[in-house]
Structure formats: C-alpha cells, structure tokens
C-alpha cells in the first residue's frame, strides 16, 4: 500500500494555514511541537484522512529559509506518501542510488527518542533529495496501524481523528509536479513505488492506493505546483477564496505559490 497522504507548503508566516483552513472549512488538526528542533513551526490542516501542511521558519539557516529565499511568497515544498512497505521502498531507494536528505526510524532515533505520546514509537520516514527525484522533495513514511485512513498517522500526532470528522470533508485526490522532463520524473517515482506510469489526458500519472494520483506535467521549472482537492460544494470553497482576495480562474486559485484545483466529489449533483 502506497497512498498520497500529505502535501507540504513552505510559507513565510504560519498564519497562512489558518486562512486556508477558513477557505476550505477544515480544522488545524495538529501543530508538531518536535519540529522546532529543525528551526520550524508547522500546522497540519485535516482534509479527511489527508493533510495539507504548512511550515514556516523560526530562524535563519533552515532548509525552508533557503527555499523561501527563492520563493518569497511561499511554494510547494514536499509530497508525502504513507505506506505499509517501508523496507521494500528503502531497498529500492538504495538500489537506484537515490540520495537521502533525511531519515528517521526507531533504530536511528534510539529508545529515548521514540516517544509514544507523539506516535513515534513505530514511526519511520525517509525524505529524498529533490535533485535525485526530479526536483521536488518527497517522503515515504510508515506508522504501525496506518492501514486505515483514520488509523495511526504519527505526523499528525495521536488525537487528530477528533478534529477530522465527517464524510463531507474535502480530500486531497492529486498532487501535480511540474518538470522539465515529466516522463523521467514520473518514471523515477514509479520505480521507487513499483507502480506503472500511466497516461491521463496526455499527462504522466501514477495511480496510488486509496484512489489518489501523482501527476507530472511539462514546465520550465521543477517543483510541486498544484494540488487537487475533492469537495462536496466546490462553488462554496471558491467563493470563500474570492472573498479572501484570491483570484479564481475556473475551478482553481493560487495560495502560497501553489494552485488549488477544486473538483466535485463523485456523486455531487451539478448546479
């Protein structure tokens, strides 16, 4: 199982997370107290069992600071997948010679840092150097008990389910990366996942478990640029975006350097 679980946006101020939560009518499900170790603060917005994370630097010299120097208004920072086959993926990473940017597992952290209070007693994750995977930082992670969307998911803490309730919540259904060579980028990601690259409307896609997809399109830069959100009432979301001062073009708007595309939930009647 490999699912699109979370996308991460780097922003100059963490309050952007609260604004996007208002637009989509969702809650901030978690703020990770441990991320301060990296000179960052964060906020995870709960989109059903999926998440949009915002990170903002608390000091100079962080990777997010360097990223924001190139993208002052914010931008797509990372695409995150959860899995129940971490060890197999880790073997493929080494076999392909993909560079690891950061890895944390119970064995690497040591017993004193595997806090059950934060869900870290089983959590393992690896972040891959963007230069090795087409230009976008990507992560694979695994938490024991993550088979269900509403099971354990350590990046959101241990009580996020209490704040992410209801069948009507919006949900991430696709992340799109722009690349100067989208086919090569898609092939790299797909090989790590042991999944095929398919074609959808002329674009390379990887169909993931849970129904979401990773999409790859041609462009002048290499970056995570768009996220597709399924909603029961797309027009209501878009109207709140307009009211907040964001220009809406057809079914999408830009927020912190990322295009948010709102798609109707399957079975939603047309207006």
């Amino acid at each position: 199982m490999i699912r699109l679980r979370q996308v991460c946006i780097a922003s100059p101020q963490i309050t952007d997370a609260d604004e996007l939560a208002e637009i989509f009518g969702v809650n901030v499900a978690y703020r990770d107290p441990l991320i301060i170790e990296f000179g960052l603060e964060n906020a995870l917005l709960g989109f059903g069992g999926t998440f949009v994370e915002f990170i903002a630097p608390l000091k100079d010299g962080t990777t997010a600071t360097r990223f924001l120097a190139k993208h002052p208004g914010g931008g797509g920072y990372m695409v995150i997948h959860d899995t129940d086959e971490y060890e197999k993926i880790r073997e493929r990473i080494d076999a392909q010679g993909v560079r690891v940017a950061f890895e944390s597992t119970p064995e690497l952290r040591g017993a004193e840092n595997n806090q059950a209070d934060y869900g870290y007693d089983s959590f393992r994750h690896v972040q891959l150097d963007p230069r090795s995977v087409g230009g976008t930082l990507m992560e694979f992670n695994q938490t024991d008990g993550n088979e269900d969307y509403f099971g354990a998911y350590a990046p959101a803490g241990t009580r996020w389910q209490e704040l992410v309730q209801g069948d009507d919540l919006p949900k991430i259904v696709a992340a799109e990366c722009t690349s100067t060579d989208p086919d090569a980028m898609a092939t790299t990601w797909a090989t790590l996942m042991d999944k095929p690259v398919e074609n959808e409307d002329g674009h390379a896609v990887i169909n993931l478990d849970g129904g979401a997809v990773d999409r790859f399109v041609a462009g002048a830069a290499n970056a995570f640029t768009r996220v597709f959100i399924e909603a029961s009432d797309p027009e209501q979301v878009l109207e709140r975006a307009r009211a907040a001062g964001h220009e809406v073009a057809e079914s999408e708007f830009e927020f912190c350097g990322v295009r948010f595309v709102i798609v109707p939930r399957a079975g939603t009647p047309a207006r």
Side-chain angles (χ1 to χ4, degrees):
M1 175 269 287
I2 302 173
R3 297 181 296 214
L4 175 59
R5 197 61 188 269
Q6 182 176 327
V7 295
C8 180
I9 296 169
S11 172
Q13 59 276 323
I14 203 65
T15 51
D16 284 329
D18 300 294
E19 181 181 344
L20 193 72
E22 288 286 334
I23 290 172
F24 279 99
V26 300
N27 291 318
V28 175
Y30 190 56
R31 299 181 192 269
D32 187 352
L34 302 180
I35 202 171
I36 193 172
E37 173 187 345
F38 302 100
L40 303 170
E41 58 182 334
N42 84 332
L44 265 72
L45 308 189
F47 285 70
T50 59
F51 300 89
V52 176
E53 178 184 17
F54 284 79
I55 59 170
L58 293 170
K59 63 181 183 180
D60 293 335
T62 69
T63 54
T65 304
R66 292 189 287 273
F67 179 88
L68 289 168
K70 298 177 181 178
H71 310 278
Y77 190 70
M78 181 162 50
V79 177
I80 298 166
H81 306 85
D82 77 328
T83 183
D84 62 357
E85 50 188 274
Y86 184 89
E87 295 302 332
K88 291 180 181 177
I89 291 170
R90 195 64 186 80
E91 290 173 4
R92 293 182 204 124
I93 290 168
D94 288 340
Q96 289 188 62
V98 171
R99 292 187 295 272
V100 171
F102 181 77
E103 183 173 22
S104 181
T105 67
E107 297 77 18
L108 291 172
R109 287 190 298 271
E112 69 280 5
N113 293 313
N114 291 323
Q115 303 100 318
D117 288 349
Y118 297 106
Y120 269 39
D121 48 336
S122 69
F123 183 56
R124 53 192 67 232
H125 70 124
V126 60
Q127 296 173 354
L128 305 180
D129 189 317
R131 293 167 293 183
S132 281
V133 291
T136 294
L137 187 63
M138 70 180 303
E139 175 181 311
F140 294 102
N141 67 50
Q142 180 170 327
T143 310
D144 286 354
N146 72 335
E147 294 82 6
D148 189 282
Y149 265 128
F150 290 90
Y153 185 60
T158 58
R159 301 181 62 185
W160 61 270
Q161 297 91 336
E162 298 171 16
L163 295 169
V164 182
Q165 295 290 334
D167 297 330
D168 204 37
L169 289 173
K171 179 182 177 180
I172 299 171
V173 292
E176 183 175 281
C177 294
T178 301
S179 173
T180 56
D181 191 343
D183 291 334
M185 185 177 186
T187 298
T188 298
W189 286 36
T191 305
L192 289 171
M193 299 180 193
D194 193 27
K195 291 183 179 292
V197 177
E198 300 182 45
N199 185 287
E200 182 182 281
D201 300 327
H203 300 302
V205 301
I206 303 170
N207 284 292
L208 303 166
D209 300 294
V213 301
D214 289 332
R215 289 168 47 95
F216 306 86
V217 300
N222 300 319
F224 157 49
T225 50
R226 293 171 94 200
V227 58
F228 292 69
I229 306 288
E230 183 183 74
S232 295
D233 193 340
E235 272 307 315
Q236 188 178 67
V237 174
L238 295 170
E239 184 52 43
R240 286 196 292 256
R242 289 187 193 96
H246 301 284
E247 182 179 347
V248 173
E250 296 183 353
S251 61
E252 62 185 271
F253 63 95
E254 184 171 322
F255 192 95
C256 283
V258 174
R259 303 292 301 180
F260 282 80
V261 184
I262 318 304
V263 300
R265 176 165 283 124
T268 300
R271 292 194 172 187

